[in-house]
């Protein structure tokens, strides 16, 4: 399967061919829909074809089909007609929701650059997002964190994906900031998200999610609250300003 969102996270519409269809989900030969994973929700949208149209209420990772690699399972709304196998469909994602997820996900990487400590959990949301940190200090300063993140946003740093080999990741374990989830390995390469230029990196760590092209596109955030979730565990919640 061709994962179109990896080549261009800004693409909103594309055609595809139906490989399989059932109430449990629809498989296509290529997909715009980001499947739920890495703390980022699956995309929603529609599929339309000659004689039909359905709403996709979720996208999830599915077991690979033989010789077709990674698969996305497009979950249809209950009790709706399914496209016939072999049909050409037009897929459209809910762009407003996807774009908010992109802005939020990139913001969480900036938060990693500002807050010390390993990440113990997190969730991307269209309205609110969060990261949990294992921090040695008893408290985090909400106003200082908000100002620092917004300064990085306003600087309009470039954001890009790059890859390294499994061996290179093993040699640089400090790239992995998460304690609860390890990046997938075994395919020979690992996708990284880099914020900043090669000679002035703001954040660099494994990530397979969708992101904006520059930090200025985020537009500004508010730190909603910081919660104590354990002896050294602090949850930082944030929201976009628009």
């Amino acid at each position: 399967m061709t994962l179109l969102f990896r080549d261009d996270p800004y693409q909103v519409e594309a055609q595809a061919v139906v490989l399989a269809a059932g109430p449990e989900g629809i498989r296509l030969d290529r997909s715009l829909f980001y499947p739920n994973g890495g703390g980022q929700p699956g995309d929603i949208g529609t599929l339309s074809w000659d004689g039909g149209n359905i709403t996709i209420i979720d996208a999830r990772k599915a077991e690979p089909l033989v010789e077709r690699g990674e698969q996305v399972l497009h979950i249809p709304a209950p009790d709706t007609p399914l496209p016939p196998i072999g049909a050409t469909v037009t897929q459209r994602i809910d762009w407003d929701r996807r774009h908010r997820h992109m802005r939020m996900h990139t913001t969480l990487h900036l938060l990693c650059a500002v807050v010390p400590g390993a990440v113990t959990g997190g969730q991307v949301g269209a309205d609110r997002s969060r990261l949990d940190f294992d921090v040695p200090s008893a408290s985090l300063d909400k106003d200082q964190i908000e100002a620092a993140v917004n300064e990085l946003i306003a600087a309009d740093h470039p954001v890009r994906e790059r890859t390294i080999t499994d061996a290179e990741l093993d040699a640089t374990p400090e790239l992995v900031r998460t304690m609860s989830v390890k990046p997938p390995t075994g395919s020979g390469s690992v996708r990284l998200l880099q914020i900043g230029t090669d000679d002035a990196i703001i954040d660099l760590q494994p990530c397979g999610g969708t992101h904006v092209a520059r930090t200025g596109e985020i537009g500004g955030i508010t730190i909603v609250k910081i919660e104590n979730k354990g002896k050294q565990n602090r949850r930082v919640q944030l929201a976009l300003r628009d």
Side-chain angles (χ1 to χ4, degrees), residues 5 8 22 25 77 81 94 99 102 117 129 137-138 146-147 154 175 197 209 215 218 227 233 236-237:
F5 59 84
D8 181 7
D94 182 330
H99 193 225
M102 290 165 60
S129 297
S137 60
E146 181 176 301
L175 290 177
T197 59
T215 61
I218 296 167
E227 299 176 279
N233 201 46
V236 182
Q237 293 193 31

Side-chain angles (χ1 to χ4, degrees), residues 3-239:
L3 303 178
L4 298 172
F5 59 84
R6 287 204 175 148
D7 295 330
D8 181 7
Y10 290 86
Q11 187 176 357
V12 176
E13 180 179 312
Q15 290 190 323
V17 175
V18 178
L19 302 178
E24 74 285 353
I26 299 164
R27 297 176 187 252
L28 306 174
D29 68 334
R30 57 194 204 134
S31 180
L32 286 173
F33 287 74
Y34 178 84
N36 181 28
Q40 182 173 328
D43 283 326
I44 62 175
T46 62
L47 296 181
S48 59
W49 64 96
D50 187 15
N53 182 81
I54 59 172
T55 298
I56 299 300
I57 61 173
D58 196 8
R60 303 171 189 166
K61 293 180 181 178
E63 289 299 318
L65 293 177
V66 176
E67 298 180 352
R68 290 189 182 271
E70 293 181 73
Q71 290 288 300
V72 176
L73 199 60
H74 307 79
I75 310 302
D79 303 319
T80 54
L82 299 174
I85 295 174
T88 297
V89 296
T90 298
Q91 49 186 320
R92 297 180 182 86
I93 60 169
D94 182 330
W95 169 246
D96 289 342
R97 181 174 178 270
R98 156 72 78 78
H99 193 225
R100 290 185 71 85
H101 287 164
M102 290 165 60
R103 293 163 64 199
M104 282 286 203
H105 204 155
T106 306
T107 300
L108 293 185
H109 281 256
L110 294 177
L111 189 62
C112 280
V114 169
V115 178
V119 175
T120 59
Q123 183 65 47
V124 177
D127 297 316
R128 287 194 181 186
S129 297
R130 66 169 175 84
L131 281 182
D132 297 346
F133 293 92
D134 180 64
V135 293
S137 60
S139 63
L140 297 173
D141 190 296
K142 175 175 171 288
D143 293 336
Q144 286 183 0
I145 293 172
E146 181 176 301
V149 172
N150 279 315
E151 183 177 349
L152 291 173
I153 290 171
D156 199 27
H157 294 288
V159 180
R160 72 179 181 93
E161 292 183 348
R162 49 186 282 199
T163 60
I164 60 173
T165 65
D166 290 349
E168 287 173 324
L169 181 63
D170 290 339
T172 52
E174 65 274 11
L175 290 177
V176 181
R177 291 287 305 275
T178 58
M179 297 176 62
S180 58
V181 180
K182 300 301 181 184
T185 57
S187 65
S189 65
V190 177
R191 299 174 68 85
L192 302 179
L193 183 82
Q194 176 179 308
I195 301 178
T197 59
D198 290 344
D199 58 353
I201 293 176
I202 306 300
D203 185 68
L204 178 67
Q205 59 179 297
C207 185
T210 59
H211 295 271
V212 294
R214 303 191 66 90
T215 61
E217 195 173 332
I218 296 167
I221 60 96
T222 298
I223 300 296
V224 178
K225 59 182 176 179
I226 298 177
E227 299 176 279
N228 184 344
K229 290 295 181 178
K231 185 177 180 180
Q232 291 189 181
N233 201 46
R234 301 294 180 268
R235 174 167 294 175
V236 182
Q237 293 193 31
L238 58 88

